[in-house]
Amino acid sequence: VTAALQLGAAICKGPEWDKGQLTSRSRVSWDPEPEARSAERSVYYFTNTMPKCPSFNQQTWLAIEQLVYDKLHPELTRVSVFTGPVFS
């Protein structure tokens, strides 16, 4: 996709959008140290972000993450969650 057709980071500059991470840094660092550090860095790539309404990003998305990771399977040390935008 050419740069002219990409929204880029500029879309998240105003107050109407948050640059929301699809996967949290704290949730990907469960491998041995070199892999964990690489995984932690990868969450800051633009491909792991999408514009989100601030209230959804800061409340609803956070609550979903906490539910999946902390409440559904607290006995597990690893949970695989696949995230991504929905195009329709």
Side-chain angles (χ1 to χ4, degrees):
V1 177
T2 66
L5 297 175
Q6 297 178 41
L7 296 175
I11 188 142
C12 300
K13 294 282 187 211
E16 61 275 353
W17 294 107
D18 273 0
K19 184 173 114 177
Q21 295 174 327
L22 298 173
T23 303
S24 166
R25 180 190 61 82
S26 65
R27 306 301 185 177
V28 298
S29 57
W30 37 259
D31 278 325
E33 189 159 330
E35 290 85 357
R37 291 194 188 283
S38 175
E40 286 178 353
R41 285 190 304 271
S42 73
V43 301
Y44 295 108
Y45 295 150
F46 197 72
T47 53
N48 184 50
T49 63
M50 62 182 295
K52 293 180 191 170
C53 176
S55 63
F56 177 80
N57 187 40
Q58 297 166 21
Q59 297 166 15
T60 307
W61 192 260
L62 181 60
I64 291 169
E65 283 182 335
Q66 289 174 336
L67 175 72
V68 169
Y69 291 109
D70 300 332
K71 300 201 185 315
L72 291 180
H73 299 287
E75 75 284 357
L76 298 177
T77 57
R78 293 182 178 193
V79 176
S80 294
V81 177
F82 298 86
T83 61
V86 175
F87 297 105
S88 60

